[in-house]
Amino acid sequence: MTPPDAPIRNAATVIVLRKDGPAPSVLMGQRGASAAFMPSKFVFPGGAVDPDDATVPLAGALPDICAQRLCEDCAPDLGHALAAAAIRELWEEAGLIIGRSGTWTGAVPPDWASFAARGHLPDAGALQFVFRAITPPGRPRRFDARFFLIDADHIVGDPDDFSAATDELSHLQWVPLPEARRFDLPFITEVVLAEVAARAHDPAPPASVPFFRNDDEESLFLRLSGRGPLQSRMP
């Protein structure tokens, strides 16, 4: 008997792009060998949206065009939670803050307590929504992941200080874009890296966002801009 497919969870991934070296680099880390999802692979920081992500205060909202693209083919009120989740995951997995100095009002959700203790509010104003992908059927976990790009100049403090990170990702490092494909990467990460390389020197949020949609019938490469499919189906 074929086991049922895992439910699809909303998720956010953040790609931090650093441009102070001879070549642009991105922050990556390695998942544990015993992880249920993508074991031992090198990935960007990210993870599932938590219920509290929808209610945390943002010091700055997403750029309008990014908020609009996030609303395509999904719940219209999900953008806030996705942006907050990207910021939280970067803090948890890399110990890096995207935020603005400020005081939280009301109760701080447990998953945000250590972030708030640093005296910052999450700030989504510099995040760029650049890619969306749904995990194919048959995997032990499935995510509807939105990938956000941000310049490392928006990191608060030292971008090389990972001392506050949890142990979910190991070997955290800045990987030069020309060298990234030498690592053991998931297929979708390779696709996203190509998109990031093409956008590395463009400071404006994209007007059109690639969407790799996998469902039970077929895999489609679409664009969130109303332009229709880039490719009718993937093998």
Side-chain angles (χ1 to χ4, degrees):
M1 184 176 180
T2 303
D5 272 326
I8 299 175
R9 300 180 64 189
N10 288 306
T13 294
V14 60
I15 307 156
V16 187
L17 181 66
R18 192 170 181 178
K19 295 182 283 189
D20 58 356
S25 58
V26 289
L27 180 64
M28 305 190 79
Q30 187 176 31
R31 293 182 58 80
S34 60
F37 187 70
M38 296 184 177
S40 301
K41 298 288 187 179
F42 275 84
V43 296
F44 310 115
V49 173
D50 288 346
D52 289 328
D53 293 333
T55 63
V56 299
L58 293 177
L62 282 165
D64 287 343
I65 192 169
C66 296
Q68 293 168 15
R69 293 293 171 260
L70 283 169
C71 288
E72 291 187 37
D73 197 29
C74 76
D77 59 348
L78 193 57
H80 181 112
L82 287 164
I87 295 169
R88 177 181 50 75
E89 289 289 339
L90 182 65
W91 166 246
E92 291 177 355
E93 296 189 347
L96 300 180
I97 288 178
I98 302 171
R100 193 183 306 172
S101 295
T103 302
W104 291 57
T105 58
V108 178
D111 285 348
W112 284 89
S114 60
F115 185 103
R118 296 295 178 111
H120 288 82
L121 295 167
D123 186 352
L127 290 172
Q128 296 185 14
F129 174 41
V130 295
F131 205 94
R132 180 179 175 186
I134 298 178
T135 309
R139 307 296 172 85
R141 293 182 182 172
R142 298 187 69 194
F143 297 98
D144 187 345
R146 282 73 163 190
F147 293 77
F148 294 91
L149 179 67
I150 191 167
D151 193 294
D153 286 346
H154 295 284
I155 298 296
V156 176
D158 183 358
D160 292 311
D161 181 6
F162 306 131
S163 60
T166 64
D167 59 359
E168 188 167 346
L169 291 181
S170 61
H171 301 100
L172 283 162
Q173 59 191 283
W174 295 98
V175 179
L177 282 176
E179 300 176 16
R181 286 194 172 89
R182 300 178 185 176
F183 290 77
D184 185 8
L185 306 174
F187 162 73
I188 200 62
T189 302
E190 294 191 36
V191 176
V192 175
L193 277 168
E195 187 74 14
V196 170
R199 297 197 50 77
H201 300 290
D202 186 351
S208 178
V209 176
F211 177 16
F212 188 32
R213 191 185 77 192
N214 290 285
D215 55 32
D216 293 336
E217 302 300 326
E218 58 187 352
S219 297
L220 301 175
F221 237 139
L222 311 172
R223 277 197 176 267
L224 299 173
S225 65
R227 296 181 184 177
L230 291 177
Q231 184 172 329
S232 61
R233 66 186 65 201
M234 295 287 289

